[in-house]
Amino acid sequence: MPVSVFAAQSFRDHEQVVFCHDRASGLKAIIAIHDLTLGPALGGCRMWRYDSDDEALDDVLRLSRGMTYKSAMAGLSFGGGKAVIIGDAKRDKSPALFEAFGRFIDSLGGRYITAEDVGTSPADFEIVRRQTRHVAGIAEGGSGDPSPATAWGVFHGLRAAVEFRLGRDDLNGLTVAIQGLGHVGWALAEHLRKAGARLVVTDIDAARLAAAKAELGASVVDPEAIYDVEADVFAPNALGAVLNDDTIARLKVAVVAGSANNQLAEDRHGAVLHRRGILYAPDYVINAGGIINISYEGPRYSQDAAFAHCARIHDTLAELFARAGQADLPTNEMADRLAEERLAHAREARPLKVVAR
């Protein structure tokens, strides 16, 4: 059955969805622009071996909507957008592919600004930049790899969740189960270890696990066993949809706080966590450090200023948790409400356009 954009469950009033194909390079990509109320759409591009075009479409639509809400909650002047390249990041990359992708980005005239994500790197986007200036997060003239900033924001967001749910203003002696030790997951693990937390980790990369055991003193479990670990915090830092009917029932934690996008398989799983008394730090709020860092790009870029802004994710989540608690609402529903409030205010503040006749 062909992909139907408007009938897709995740469509949710996207402004523009572009399917991109370049025969010469083999590029197959989808660019989704969800909402431009606050400014041009900014969001990374992931490269992944999707099982179907429908799966790729669902992923890019969910991710782009999340970027709209992420920027709104972080107080940034960006809209929401995302891109996916369908392919094997270890086998299918080529300069021609990323140059073709850059031409498609440029054809949108600045409506969408791209950056790295899962399966891509700042080096890939140095190639994209040969064809378009609408690229962020690269080393030359930019803020570089956003992963350290994302991890710094997640660390402070996790602290806010622990304070609210466990009444602790420190992490010393707490156990954190970490799923995924990529760039963000590893940096987060380092921050947690320095703060005195005990780490239980999993990843599909055996070498990464061996390093975590040797360098961070972490305990290692199989990927599927991470959901059964008795811990204070579960930190998902891999791909999305890891919080579902099966996994939530197995969790033995008080807090879920990690960097992965689209952690809830469905919105209703936020309510399932709420009923179980597990405090969930909404993904697009806690993992906003990368886009915050990018927002500081320019000739006067200051990492200190950018990282100080990332640390304020703690305060944003503290307010969100308090308001959700007062309303007895799942935290993901309260986050959506707060983001939609900012979008509504921005739309109301738009100046009226007078058309001359």
Side-chain angles (χ1 to χ4, degrees):
M1 179 180 295
V3 176
S4 174
V5 178
F6 298 110
Q9 184 177 3
S10 303
F11 178 69
R12 298 193 183 189
D13 297 322
H14 273 70
E15 294 189 16
Q16 188 173 14
V17 181
V18 181
F19 290 78
C20 312
H21 178 234
D22 180 70
R23 184 182 301 174
S25 66
L27 174 72
K28 293 181 179 179
I30 309 173
I31 302 169
I33 296 173
H34 177 252
D35 190 290
L36 297 175
T37 299
L38 299 176
L42 173 60
C45 170
R46 73 174 38 176
M47 187 171 185
W48 194 254
R49 289 182 61 187
Y50 293 98
D51 292 333
S52 67
D53 293 346
D54 288 293
E55 184 182 356
L57 176 63
D58 182 67
D59 199 29
V60 76
L61 291 175
R62 294 189 69 193
L63 289 166
S64 59
R65 176 176 177 265
M67 293 304 299
T68 297
Y69 285 17
K70 182 180 296 189
S71 287
M73 289 297 291
L76 304 178
S77 297
F78 290 116
K82 207 77 174 184
V84 297
I85 295 175
I86 301 170
D88 188 330
K90 294 182 178 179
R91 186 189 65 195
D92 298 333
K93 286 185 179 182
S94 70
L97 182 141
F98 284 106
E99 287 184 349
F101 181 67
R103 290 191 292 274
F104 281 115
I105 296 296
D106 203 58
S107 71
L108 295 174
R111 289 170 61 82
Y112 169 63
I113 303 167
T114 193
E116 65 93 24
D117 200 333
V118 175
T120 61
S121 70
D124 296 327
F125 286 89
E126 296 287 354
I127 301 172
V128 173
R129 200 181 187 196
R130 298 173 189 171
Q131 303 295 326
T132 182
R133 62 185 177 87
H134 305 300
V135 179
I138 58 177
E140 183 183 349
S143 56
D145 183 359
S147 300
T150 302
W152 188 237
V154 172
F155 173 68
H156 286 280
L158 187 151
R159 285 182 48 245
V162 166
E163 289 171 11
F164 187 86
R165 180 66 177 79
L166 299 177
R168 292 276 302 267
D169 60 3
D170 69 277
L171 304 178
N172 190 47
L174 294 184
T175 300
V176 182
I178 299 178
Q179 180 187 53
L181 290 170
H183 294 304
V184 177
W186 182 272
L188 174 62
E190 289 181 321
H191 293 315
L192 291 169
R193 187 71 186 92
K194 288 177 184 176
R198 294 192 295 262
L199 306 180
V200 181
V201 302
T202 195
D203 195 278
I204 58 174
D205 187 332
R208 207 70 164 156
L209 291 176
K213 186 174 182 179
E215 298 175 29
L216 302 175
S219 301
V220 173
V221 297
D222 291 334
E224 188 59 26
I226 196 70
Y227 303 108
D228 303 309
V229 172
E230 291 191 20
D232 298 288
V233 180
F234 172 53
N237 301 288
L239 292 178
V242 297
L243 298 172
N244 52 52
D245 291 330
D246 172 59
T247 59
I248 293 174
R250 294 161 58 188
L251 291 178
K252 302 178 181 67
V253 299
V255 168
V256 173
S259 68
N261 285 310
N262 294 338
Q263 294 171 27
L264 302 175
E266 300 175 35
D267 288 345
R268 67 180 180 84
H269 289 115
V272 178
L273 288 167
H274 181 63
R275 287 195 296 270
R276 286 208 56 202
I278 299 173
L279 181 66
Y280 170 59
D283 45 30
Y284 62 75
V285 182
I286 195 172
N287 69 13
I291 193 172
I292 290 171
N293 190 49
I294 286 172
S295 76
Y296 279 78
E297 283 191 347
R300 297 183 180 180
Y301 171 73
S302 167
Q303 186 180 78
D304 290 343
F307 275 52
H309 190 160
C310 294
R312 294 200 294 274
I313 289 174
H314 172 284
D315 302 332
T316 301
L317 280 169
E319 179 186 354
L320 189 156
F321 294 148
R323 290 186 60 172
Q326 291 167 1
D328 193 26
L329 279 176
T331 53
N332 63 308
E333 292 184 22
M334 179 56 70
D336 285 358
R337 284 191 183 187
L338 295 176
E340 287 163 2
E341 281 177 14
R342 183 174 186 222
L343 291 167
H345 290 322
R347 293 185 186 108
E348 291 171 1
R350 283 177 172 173
L352 292 175
K353 292 183 178 180
V354 178
V355 180
R357 295 190 177 181

